[in-house]
Structures are given as C-alpha cells and as structure tokens.
Amino acid sequence: MARLNYLAAGLLAAFCLAFARTDTTEKSMVRAVLLEPDGENWTVGLLYQAPEGSADSSEVSDGIRFAAAEGPGLERALANAEAALPLTANFRLCDYLLLMPGGGREALEEYEALVLARRCGRTGARLAACAFSCAELSAATEEEGEPLSALLQALKQAGPALPRLYEMQADGGVLLPVLTAGADGPALSAEGLFLSGAAPEAWDAEKTAVYRLLTGRGEEAVFWLEGRPLALRRPLCGVEAEGEGFLLRLSCQTAADSEAPGPAELEKLGQLCTALVRERWAAGQDLLGLGAYRALWGGGALDPKKDACPQLRTSVGVY
C-alpha cells in the first residue's frame, strides 16, 4: 500500500510539473496590453515574457519583450500582435492594460467585451494611460536597450492608484494615472486622464490629487497649499446628514516628510473636495454615493441626472 501511495504521489508530481511547464515556459506570457486606436485602425502592443525570462515569477525580471501590430479593428490588431510573438500567447499573468494617446473610454469597453467573448485577457487588469505611443516605445527599446522591465516596475509601484477594468461604471467615470517616459525611465505623472461618456479630459495635478484623496486611490496625495507641499496618506471619508444636505468628514494622515497643515490649508483642501464632488454631480456622477446615503436615511431618491446637487460641506482633519 505504501508503495502505491508513493507511486501515486510521484505520478501526480510529474503531471503537475508537465502541466506547469506547458502552461508557462512553452508560451509567451503577456504581462501588459497596450491599446492605441486610430479611427477604424488599431495598434495593439504586447509586453510579454519569453520562456527563459522566468515568466511565472511575480517579480519583474529580465526577458521582457515588446511586440506591436496594426489591424482594421481591435480584434484583428490583437490577433496580429499575438501572431508576432515567438510562442502562443498566454494572458494568465496580464496584470495591466495601458491606453495610448488617442484612446478613450470606448476603447476600454470594446477591449473588455472582446476579453469576455474570447477570454484573451483579464477584466481584473489594472488601467493606466500613457503619454507615449507604441511606435515611441518600440523606438526607445531599440535605442536604449530594454526599458520594458522599468515600465513594468513603474506600473507595479503605482498599483494602488490604478483602477481595474471591471470597475468602470456605465453611468460614472474613471481616473487613469498617466505614465510618462522621461530621461530616467517611465514614471507616474502627477496629472491624470479622466474617462467618462464625454471626450477624455486631462486633469491637472491638484484635481487629480483631490480625486485620489476622496476615493482612496493611491498611497499618497500631494498638494501645494500656501506655497508649500502637503502630502497626505490613508484618507478616511465619511458622510453625515447636515440639514437638507451633507457633511463630508475627511480624515488623513500627514506623511512623515510633510509638515502638519494649518487651519487655512485644511479649509482650502475642504473647499477643493466640495468643488470636485459638485462638479462630478453636475456631470451626472455621484462620486461618493450621496444618493445611497439619502435613501438609507429614508430621505427619498437623489439622482445627479435628475436632481440638483444638495448642499455640501467638507471638514478635513489630520492625525
């Protein structure tokens, strides 16, 4: 009986090893998909890991390569990019989806539909926008050696600020961090790209930081108030009824290398938060779910597409 158990265990180990090898080392493991629509024509780029590059490692390692192809439509462009890989594409480790210049919300929605239909990607991929094109990335790769591992490392470090593909809402919007390619390699910009039903909108650093603070996106939000930087971490946002409106209580931790803000700075920050919530309400987005709070308290329906923005006030505190 013992010999049979050892034999069974050996066969199971051999099977698992063979399966793992077939599923990873004999395929090109796609780590990121880059989408660049141009009217009816698309360019799709694939950051992939060759078999010798330890593709199954959770850490970014050497062996990252880039392939891009064009096509009349997203599905054809993706198929052409897959055909350019040395081995069959595997998207099991595809953690990122990058939107190149010229792309908008419709491009992400079309890609999501294709993923669900073909299972050629992951709806859990994290989203980011790029300030460079697939052609520029290819040229930089040829001139500078291989900046692709640095790109993946920058995405990994920016992870907390990156929304996921499945988090897009039909009636809302999503803010994408923007990656730039500078002299020191790819880096996360202080600005953001907001995608909604309208055209993509570039947000400045202050507005991007306010959004991240209210939604808890990212590890740190940096503001310039009263002529000096203020870095805040670990925001906690609560909503309370105040008359016919709402009081937003925002509690944050001051970063270790940042001075504590004064009353004037906290008041200014509260005004910025209130203004952004009102702006998004006017655009039809209930950024903080105020309608759900009103319904919970038995105050009736409250819809940004039908109702005027309620009275709002934001109180900011630090600890």
Side-chain angles (χ1 to χ4, degrees), residues 249-268:
R249 290 193 180 277
L250 188 61
S251 180
C252 310
Q253 182 184 71
T254 306
D257 57 349
S258 179
E259 296 182 16
E265 293 172 300
L266 294 178
E267 182 179 359
K268 174 63 175 179

Side-chain angles (χ1 to χ4, degrees), residues 209-240:
V210 172
Y211 181 93
R212 290 178 180 169
L213 200 65
L214 287 171
T215 58
R217 285 288 185 190
E219 295 182 345
E220 187 173 279
V222 180
F223 301 86
W224 281 87
L225 302 174
E226 302 296 328
R228 64 189 182 95
L230 171 63
L232 299 176
R233 305 172 64 246
R234 299 179 180 177
L236 296 175
C237 187
V239 179
E240 300 177 9

